[in-house]
Amino acid sequence: MGLINSILGKKDIAIKSYADFWNWFETNEKVFFNAVSNGKNIEKDFFDKLFSKLGELKEGYFFLTGMLNDDTAELVLTADGNIKQIVFVEELVNAAPQLPNWKFTALKPAIDINNLRIQMNGHTFDKDNLFFYSNEDNEFPDKIDITIVHLDCTEENKSIITNGTFIFLDNYLGELHFTENIDSINVIGPVEATKELVPIEKLKDFLIWRQKEFVEKYEGVRHDTENDGYASLEATLNNGMPLMAVINSTLFEWDAKPSHPWIIAIRIPYDGEHNNGFPDNDMFQLLNEIEDDFLMVELKDSDGYLNLGRETADSLREIYFACKDFRKPSIVLEEIKDKFSGQVDIEYEIYKDKYWQSFSRFMN
């Protein structure tokens, strides 16, 4: 399928729900199908309109489109690597109607490696010039750390080769598989390789095997935080401002951290200029309400969401969770952002960190 890529994000008005979007799409689907099938005026007749309407629904949707055969066009909606957008892409596609000339797909699917070759900036990425090997670390046995070797990679072109290699892997493995099953990737040239090179077409089976082992090892693992111990910490930032933290010290000693590999870092800025960087009483109560009455209620430890603790300093409250999955936290955080949008600007990040190494300052 010849895929045509466009980035979405522009906002307008009107589309407020998945049903609104699909009603609009169904009304116009014949015009859209013709634009994709003949390739004429596709920007004006399809991309520009789709760009605008998806942007009304939510920023962060991307898409690919092309013909599967003479009678069927495919629209692939993708998060383009944004973990916290994946669930909304999946929800939108799950709400899609059945249309005879369309196939709707959530997230970029895997492509047969025999049909995959990417040309970019004068370089080729395919099964003939890409290899890999796995890096093992006894201290972090469940971490999937992969080195990719591109035969043409040099110090001069490394950034270009790395970018192209990531695009190749996204298409070879499929967007979700790539996101979920690799923890760390390094791209190098053959002169830097320290292990025997394995053909890239064997990477998918290797990752499936590693993931199967991981699931069997941690399936059903839960942690009840009711009797956990907590520690209060005080420190001074480089700018001289004081910091206060409350952490679940029991969790940071837990030996099953990889069972909750997804970290949610929530950031809530406030005005602490006249209070040594700390919130005033009203803001302090609001921050505690957000955490205790909403985050802790929606993200329960019994469901696989562990509150690691919080830090407060320099006009910023940060709250951390370790999670078994990333979908529900995305939904919960978007709802909380909307609920408190007139009072605070909540931001959040989701990333994978199987051994919670980003919190090494709490683990001695």
Side-chain angles (χ1 to χ4, degrees):
M1 178 176 71
L3 294 178
I4 306 167
N5 197 355
S6 180
I7 298 176
L8 312 177
K10 181 180 177 182
K11 283 195 171 183
D12 197 0
I13 54 173
I15 302 294
K16 302 297 184 184
S17 68
Y18 298 146
D20 290 342
F21 173 79
W22 288 117
N23 288 336
W24 167 82
F25 189 97
E26 189 167 6
T27 300
N28 297 279
E29 63 92 8
K30 290 183 173 57
V31 173
F32 297 159
F33 178 83
N34 289 334
V36 177
S37 62
N38 62 37
K40 297 178 181 178
N41 300 318
I42 192 168
E43 291 281 350
K44 176 177 176 292
D45 292 343
F46 187 32
F47 285 175
D48 290 348
K49 294 180 173 63
L50 189 60
F51 179 97
S52 176
K53 293 302 178 182
L54 279 170
E56 292 174 18
L57 186 61
K58 189 179 187 300
E59 292 184 1
Y61 288 104
F62 296 73
F63 67 80
L64 308 163
T65 190
M67 296 299 295
L68 288 175
N69 52 53
D70 291 343
D71 301 317
T72 306
E74 182 176 21
L75 177 62
V76 179
L77 293 168
T78 164
D80 201 41
N82 185 351
I83 295 170
K84 61 186 183 182
Q85 180 70 7
I86 286 176
V87 66
F88 302 107
V89 170
E90 293 173 332
E91 286 185 340
L92 180 56
V93 171
N94 286 339
Q98 295 289 326
L99 300 179
N101 297 117
W102 286 91
K103 177 183 179 181
F104 302 111
T105 301
L107 309 174
K108 285 176 278 188
I111 297 176
D112 187 327
I113 197 166
N114 294 308
N115 300 324
L116 181 58
R117 170 173 290 179
I118 293 172
Q119 300 280 350
M120 192 174 114
N121 296 109
H123 298 283
T124 300
F125 302 83
D126 60 22
K127 66 176 184 177
D128 295 326
N129 59 20
L130 284 166
F131 299 83
F132 83 98
Y133 57 82
S134 175
N135 304 294
E136 286 78 32
D137 187 332
N138 292 333
E139 189 176 357
F140 308 113
D142 296 306
K143 187 174 182 179
I144 300 179
D145 180 4
I146 302 296
T147 293
I148 304 291
V149 180
H150 190 291
L151 295 184
D152 298 329
C153 183
T154 65
E155 201 60 41
E156 291 72 28
N157 64 20
K158 190 164 188 175
S159 62
I160 295 173
I161 293 293
T162 298
N163 188 31
T165 298
F166 274 67
I167 293 172
F168 177 90
L169 292 174
D170 202 29
N171 285 279
Y172 165 46
L173 299 174
E175 185 174 356
L176 187 60
H177 188 21
F178 184 36
T179 299
E180 290 186 321
N181 295 325
I182 299 180
D183 300 312
S184 179
I185 297 180
N186 183 36
V187 179
I188 63 172
V191 296
E192 301 174 78
T194 58
K195 290 187 177 182
E196 181 180 352
L197 305 188
V198 181
I200 198 70
E201 57 260 43
K202 295 187 177 181
L203 177 61
K204 188 178 294 184
D205 289 339
F206 170 79
L207 294 175
I208 291 172
W209 167 65
R210 286 296 306 271
Q211 183 63 13
K212 183 174 183 291
E213 279 194 331
F214 180 82
V215 170
E216 289 175 351
K217 183 176 180 179
Y218 292 106
E219 187 173 16
V221 172
R222 291 288 186 270
H223 183 89
D224 183 353
T225 60
E226 184 177 356
N227 297 314
D228 283 0
Y230 292 81
S232 296
L233 307 174
E234 296 184 14
T236 302
L237 301 176
N238 291 333
N239 63 6
M241 299 293 283
L243 176 147
M244 295 188 65
V246 178
I247 64 162
N248 185 322
S249 52
T250 301
L251 274 177
F252 282 107
E253 296 173 358
W254 193 32
D255 62 1
K257 294 181 183 71
S259 64
H260 291 64
W262 299 99
I263 301 299
I264 316 298
I266 303 151
R267 299 179 178 90
I268 311 175
Y270 56 84
D271 183 3
E273 182 179 359
H274 302 295
N275 199 30
N276 211 19
F278 292 123
D280 61 23
N281 288 335
D282 290 342
M283 180 56 66
F284 183 79
Q285 291 178 9
L286 177 61
L287 294 174
N288 286 348
E289 178 187 357
I290 292 171
E291 182 172 356
D292 297 337
D293 297 343
F294 292 91
L295 287 170
M296 296 296 291
V297 169
E298 295 295 331
L299 301 177
K300 296 183 175 67
D301 56 5
S302 58
D303 295 332
Y305 310 104
L306 304 177
N307 186 344
L308 300 177
R310 65 175 183 262
E311 293 181 296
T312 308
D314 203 8
S315 298
L316 182 67
R317 165 69 61 88
E318 296 185 272
I319 306 166
Y320 307 110
F321 281 80
C323 307
K324 291 187 74 72
D325 81 280
F326 54 82
R327 289 176 173 84
K328 183 175 180 180
S330 298
I331 295 171
V332 169
L333 263 298
E334 290 297 326
E335 291 174 349
I336 292 175
K337 278 180 64 175
D338 289 342
K339 179 175 182 60
F340 292 95
S341 61
Q343 298 168 277
V344 288
D345 294 321
I346 299 174
E347 301 174 353
Y348 68 100
E349 179 186 8
I350 301 178
Y351 59 93
K352 184 189 275 190
D353 182 3
K354 275 183 180 170
Y355 288 90
W356 307 356
Q357 290 173 276
S358 53
F359 300 99
S360 59
R361 61 192 182 278
F362 298 140
M363 297 183 284
N364 297 321

